[in-house]
Amino acid sequence: MAAELAKLPGWNVVVDNKPGAGGNIGADIVAKSAPDGYTLLMGTVGTHGINQSLYSKLPFDPIKDFAPITEVAAVPNVLVINPAFAQENKISNVRDLIAYARANPGKLNMASSGNGTSIHLAGELFKTQTRTYMVHFPYKGSGPALTDLTGGTMQVMFDNLPSSMALIKAGKLKALAVTSAKPSPALPDVPTIAAAANLPSYEASSWFGLLAPAGTPAEVVSRLQHEVAKALGSPAVRERLQARAPSRSQHALAVRRIHPRGDRQVGPGGQGVRRKVD
């Protein structure tokens, strides 16, 4: 999306990744930035939903410190496995993975983009519902986690679909299932976990939304929403994301709706996820 925005006349877009603390570090920087429309946050279900229940104290208020611009995408996570490991252990589907995990408790390394992220919680929910145990290894972002997964240090991961898609298409990762209630158009031949593992209540998706610091003038927010909607409508973006650009008010409602549900977002993970951290 940043590349599409950079094509607009007069726009110069710089992406500054600030990994760590489930997105709290980057969110805090934006919350304390000047409300002039030049510094924006790509918020997530983590920064504006999960983290309030995971951390005993946040350095920002997810509601009061931000002005919602627009929702960018709602994406499923995808259960991916190292292809060599899958071939060696004859794991071709989710049921095979469950059978292996039950027969080999603690011998599967499960990578994630960090403690308490939607990726981590998707894995913990899977472990709880399948009564399996995989060792969780949190990384600072999906990038390094995927590097170790493709390299064989890790065996499985639940990742946001867009960040794994290129590796799946290249054959460097094997996609077993998506975590959404319905199959993803981006991977039409990959089943849902609910269907593949006969877990009808399993669902764990993510959303991404663009936010500005609180106090950003309404006319600036409105222009940003309008221009981002153009970028989201481009074929290049829609091919990678289940992109959508609701109005600013719709995104504000979405953020407020997710905010008080943090305990329920974190709760199903169990295995230490409920404990708040400093």
Side-chain angles (χ1 to χ4, degrees):
M1 189 186 77
E4 293 300 312
L5 287 174
K7 296 176 183 178
L8 297 173
W11 283 63
N12 183 21
V13 181
V14 177
V15 177
D16 187 7
N17 291 313
K18 296 291 184 181
N24 287 348
I25 294 174
D28 185 41
I29 291 172
V30 175
K32 294 177 172 59
S33 296
D36 53 16
Y38 286 97
T39 304
L40 308 175
L41 173 70
M42 185 64 77
T44 68
V45 67
T47 57
H48 284 72
I50 295 170
N51 290 357
Q52 61 180 322
S53 295
L54 183 64
Y55 292 84
S56 59
K57 185 178 180 180
L58 292 178
F60 57 88
D61 187 302
I63 301 299
K64 296 179 180 179
D65 290 344
F66 295 92
I69 297 171
T70 186
E71 184 174 359
V72 171
V75 299
N77 293 328
V78 58
L79 170 56
V80 287
I81 187 169
N82 178 280
F85 178 83
Q87 183 175 11
E88 180 183 351
N89 293 280
K90 299 180 180 179
I91 299 173
S92 60
N93 53 49
V94 179
R95 289 182 181 273
D96 290 343
L97 177 65
I98 294 171
Y100 179 90
R102 287 176 177 170
N104 300 275
K107 292 187 179 181
L108 278 170
N109 292 338
M110 183 185 78
S112 85
S113 57
N115 280 316
T117 59
S118 66
I119 292 170
H120 173 205
L121 296 188
E124 294 296 343
L125 181 60
F126 179 81
K127 289 158 62 175
T128 298
Q129 292 197 2
T130 59
R131 302 184 303 280
T132 56
Y133 175 62
M134 297 182 283
V135 182
H136 173 228
F137 287 84
Y139 287 76
K140 288 187 176 181
S142 286
L146 290 170
T147 297
D148 279 0
L149 181 61
T150 56
T153 304
M154 297 289 113
Q155 285 83 53
V156 298
M157 180 177 176
F158 290 78
D159 189 32
N160 293 143
L161 179 54
S163 64
S164 284
M165 181 62 77
L167 294 171
I168 293 170
K169 288 185 175 180
K172 295 182 179 180
L173 290 178
K174 179 179 177 64
L176 295 182
V178 292
T179 64
S180 48
K182 297 180 180 180
S184 170
L187 292 174
D189 297 327
V190 176
T192 66
I193 286 178
N198 192 26
L199 299 172
S201 66
Y202 187 96
E203 182 182 359
S205 297
S206 302
W207 61 257
F208 297 85
L210 202 62
L211 305 104
T216 301
E219 60 272 18
V220 173
V221 172
S222 180
R223 185 194 171 200
L224 287 168
Q225 198 282 328
H226 179 72
E227 298 297 344
V228 171
K230 290 182 183 177
L232 291 175
S234 71
V237 173
R238 299 193 69 84
E239 182 180 356
R240 295 192 61 191
L241 302 175
Q242 294 177 26
R244 56 195 188 190
S247 68
R248 178 191 172 198
S249 60
Q250 286 176 310
H251 183 46
L253 289 173
V255 172
R256 291 181 183 276
R257 186 168 63 248
I258 198 71
H259 182 76
R261 295 179 61 237
D263 288 324
R264 278 175 283 175
Q265 293 280 352
V266 175
Q271 301 187 25
V273 181
R274 289 191 184 93
R275 179 179 63 84
K276 289 190 177 185
V277 296
D278 295 324

Short mmCIF file of all heavy atoms in Angstrom, two decimals, residues 91-118:
data_model
loop_
_atom_site.label_atom_id
_atom_site.label_comp_id
_atom_site.label_asym_id
_atom_site.label_seq_id
_atom_site.Cartn_x
_atom_site.Cartn_y
_atom_site.Cartn_z
N ILE A 91 3.67 -35.19 6.93
CA ILE A 91 2.61 -34.28 7.36
C ILE A 91 2.10 -33.54 6.13
O ILE A 91 2.78 -32.68 5.58
CB ILE A 91 3.12 -33.28 8.41
CG1 ILE A 91 3.62 -34.02 9.65
CG2 ILE A 91 2.02 -32.28 8.78
CD1 ILE A 91 4.30 -33.12 10.67
N SER A 92 0.94 -33.93 5.66
CA SER A 92 0.39 -33.31 4.45
C SER A 92 -0.84 -32.46 4.72
O SER A 92 -1.31 -31.75 3.83
CB SER A 92 0.05 -34.39 3.42
OG SER A 92 -0.91 -35.30 3.94
N ASN A 93 -1.38 -32.55 5.95
CA ASN A 93 -2.58 -31.77 6.28
C ASN A 93 -2.63 -31.51 7.78
O ASN A 93 -1.73 -31.93 8.53
CB ASN A 93 -3.84 -32.50 5.81
CG ASN A 93 -3.90 -33.94 6.32
OD1 ASN A 93 -3.70 -34.19 7.51
ND2 ASN A 93 -4.18 -34.88 5.43
N VAL A 94 -3.65 -30.82 8.21
CA VAL A 94 -3.75 -30.43 9.63
C VAL A 94 -3.91 -31.65 10.53
O VAL A 94 -3.32 -31.70 11.62
CB VAL A 94 -4.93 -29.45 9.83
CG1 VAL A 94 -5.05 -29.08 11.31
CG2 VAL A 94 -4.73 -28.19 9.00
N ARG A 95 -4.67 -32.62 10.10
CA ARG A 95 -4.85 -33.81 10.93
C ARG A 95 -3.53 -34.55 11.14
O ARG A 95 -3.26 -35.07 12.22
CB ARG A 95 -5.90 -34.74 10.31
CG ARG A 95 -7.33 -34.19 10.39
CD ARG A 95 -8.32 -35.19 9.81
NE ARG A 95 -9.68 -34.68 9.85
CZ ARG A 95 -10.50 -34.80 10.88
NH1 ARG A 95 -10.09 -35.42 11.98
NH2 ARG A 95 -11.72 -34.31 10.83
N ASP A 96 -2.70 -34.59 10.11
CA ASP A 96 -1.37 -35.20 10.26
C ASP A 96 -0.54 -34.43 11.28
O ASP A 96 0.19 -35.02 12.09
CB ASP A 96 -0.63 -35.20 8.91
CG ASP A 96 -1.23 -36.16 7.90
OD1 ASP A 96 -2.01 -37.04 8.31
OD2 ASP A 96 -0.93 -36.00 6.70
N LEU A 97 -0.62 -33.09 11.22
CA LEU A 97 0.13 -32.27 12.16
C LEU A 97 -0.33 -32.53 13.59
O LEU A 97 0.50 -32.66 14.51
CB LEU A 97 -0.04 -30.79 11.82
CG LEU A 97 0.64 -29.80 12.79
CD1 LEU A 97 2.16 -29.96 12.73
CD2 LEU A 97 0.24 -28.37 12.46
N ILE A 98 -1.63 -32.60 13.80
CA ILE A 98 -2.17 -32.86 15.13
C ILE A 98 -1.70 -34.22 15.64
O ILE A 98 -1.27 -34.37 16.80
CB ILE A 98 -3.70 -32.78 15.13
CG1 ILE A 98 -4.16 -31.35 14.82
CG2 ILE A 98 -4.28 -33.25 16.45
CD1 ILE A 98 -5.65 -31.21 14.58
N ALA A 99 -1.74 -35.22 14.77
CA ALA A 99 -1.32 -36.56 15.16
C ALA A 99 0.16 -36.57 15.55
O ALA A 99 0.55 -37.20 16.55
CB ALA A 99 -1.58 -37.54 14.02
N TYR A 100 0.99 -35.86 14.77
CA TYR A 100 2.41 -35.80 15.08
C TYR A 100 2.64 -35.08 16.41
O TYR A 100 3.45 -35.52 17.24
CB TYR A 100 3.18 -35.08 13.97
CG TYR A 100 4.66 -34.97 14.26
CD1 TYR A 100 5.54 -35.97 13.84
CD2 TYR A 100 5.18 -33.89 14.95
CE1 TYR A 100 6.91 -35.89 14.13
CE2 TYR A 100 6.53 -33.79 15.24
CZ TYR A 100 7.39 -34.79 14.82
OH TYR A 100 8.74 -34.72 15.11
N ALA A 101 1.95 -33.95 16.61
CA ALA A 101 2.12 -33.18 17.84
C ALA A 101 1.71 -33.98 19.07
O ALA A 101 2.36 -33.91 20.12
CB ALA A 101 1.32 -31.88 17.75
N ARG A 102 0.65 -34.75 18.96
CA ARG A 102 0.20 -35.56 20.09
C ARG A 102 1.17 -36.70 20.38
O ARG A 102 1.38 -37.07 21.54
CB ARG A 102 -1.19 -36.11 19.82
CG ARG A 102 -2.28 -35.05 19.92
CD ARG A 102 -3.65 -35.62 19.55
NE ARG A 102 -4.70 -34.61 19.71
CZ ARG A 102 -5.95 -34.76 19.30
NH1 ARG A 102 -6.31 -35.89 18.67
NH2 ARG A 102 -6.84 -33.79 19.49
N ALA A 103 1.76 -37.23 19.33
CA ALA A 103 2.71 -38.33 19.51
C ALA A 103 4.10 -37.84 19.94
O ALA A 103 4.89 -38.61 20.48
CB ALA A 103 2.83 -39.13 18.22
N ASN A 104 4.35 -36.54 19.72
CA ASN A 104 5.67 -35.97 20.03
C ASN A 104 5.52 -34.65 20.79
O ASN A 104 5.90 -33.58 20.29
CB ASN A 104 6.47 -35.74 18.75
CG ASN A 104 6.70 -37.01 17.97
OD1 ASN A 104 7.65 -37.74 18.22
ND2 ASN A 104 5.83 -37.27 17.00
N PRO A 105 4.94 -34.68 21.99
CA PRO A 105 4.72 -33.42 22.72
C PRO A 105 6.02 -32.68 23.01
O PRO A 105 6.99 -33.28 23.47
CB PRO A 105 4.04 -33.89 24.01
CG PRO A 105 4.41 -35.33 24.15
CD PRO A 105 4.53 -35.85 22.76
N GLY A 106 6.02 -31.38 22.69
CA GLY A 106 7.18 -30.56 22.96
C GLY A 106 8.29 -30.64 21.93
O GLY A 106 9.32 -29.98 22.06
N LYS A 107 8.09 -31.42 20.86
CA LYS A 107 9.14 -31.56 19.84
C LYS A 107 8.91 -30.68 18.63
O LYS A 107 9.72 -30.67 17.71
CB LYS A 107 9.25 -33.03 19.42
CG LYS A 107 9.80 -33.93 20.51
CD LYS A 107 10.06 -35.34 20.02
CE LYS A 107 10.64 -36.21 21.12
NZ LYS A 107 10.92 -37.59 20.64
N LEU A 108 7.80 -29.96 18.63
CA LEU A 108 7.53 -29.00 17.56
C LEU A 108 7.82 -27.60 18.06
O LEU A 108 7.35 -27.20 19.14
CB LEU A 108 6.07 -29.09 17.11
CG LEU A 108 5.70 -30.19 16.12
CD1 LEU A 108 4.18 -30.28 16.00
CD2 LEU A 108 6.32 -29.93 14.77
N ASN A 109 8.62 -26.85 17.30
CA ASN A 109 8.90 -25.46 17.63
C ASN A 109 7.94 -24.57 16.86
O ASN A 109 7.91 -24.61 15.63
CB ASN A 109 10.33 -25.09 17.28
CG ASN A 109 11.34 -25.81 18.16
OD1 ASN A 109 11.01 -26.25 19.27
ND2 ASN A 109 12.57 -25.93 17.69
N MET A 110 7.15 -23.77 17.58
CA MET A 110 6.17 -22.88 16.97
C MET A 110 6.65 -21.44 17.06
O MET A 110 6.74 -20.88 18.16
CB MET A 110 4.81 -23.03 17.66
CG MET A 110 3.70 -22.19 17.05
SD MET A 110 2.14 -22.28 17.99
CE MET A 110 2.51 -21.15 19.36
N ALA A 111 6.96 -20.84 15.93
CA ALA A 111 7.42 -19.45 15.91
C ALA A 111 6.24 -18.50 15.90
O ALA A 111 5.14 -18.86 15.49
CB ALA A 111 8.29 -19.21 14.67
N SER A 112 6.47 -17.28 16.38
CA SER A 112 5.45 -16.23 16.28
C SER A 112 6.15 -14.89 16.14
O SER A 112 7.36 -14.78 16.33
CB SER A 112 4.53 -16.22 17.50
OG SER A 112 5.08 -15.46 18.56
N SER A 113 5.38 -13.87 15.83
CA SER A 113 5.93 -12.52 15.68
C SER A 113 6.07 -11.81 17.00
O SER A 113 6.49 -10.65 17.05
CB SER A 113 5.04 -11.70 14.74
OG SER A 113 3.71 -11.66 15.25
N GLY A 114 5.73 -12.47 18.11
CA GLY A 114 5.89 -11.87 19.43
C GLY A 114 4.82 -12.32 20.40
O GLY A 114 3.74 -12.76 19.99
N ASN A 115 5.11 -12.23 21.67
CA ASN A 115 4.15 -12.61 22.70
C ASN A 115 2.88 -11.77 22.61
O ASN A 115 2.93 -10.55 22.53
CB ASN A 115 4.77 -12.42 24.10
CG ASN A 115 5.69 -13.55 24.48
OD1 ASN A 115 5.36 -14.72 24.28
ND2 ASN A 115 6.83 -13.23 25.05
N GLY A 116 1.75 -12.45 22.62
CA GLY A 116 0.47 -11.76 22.65
C GLY A 116 -0.04 -11.25 21.33
O GLY A 116 -1.13 -10.67 21.27
N THR A 117 0.71 -11.46 20.25
CA THR A 117 0.22 -11.03 18.94
C THR A 117 -0.90 -11.97 18.49
O THR A 117 -1.06 -13.07 19.02
CB THR A 117 1.36 -11.07 17.91
OG1 THR A 117 1.88 -12.41 17.83
CG2 THR A 117 2.48 -10.12 18.30
N SER A 118 -1.65 -11.54 17.49
CA SER A 118 -2.71 -12.41 16.98
C SER A 118 -2.14 -13.71 16.44
O SER A 118 -2.79 -14.76 16.48
CB SER A 118 -3.50 -11.68 15.88
OG SER A 118 -2.69 -11.44 14.75
#
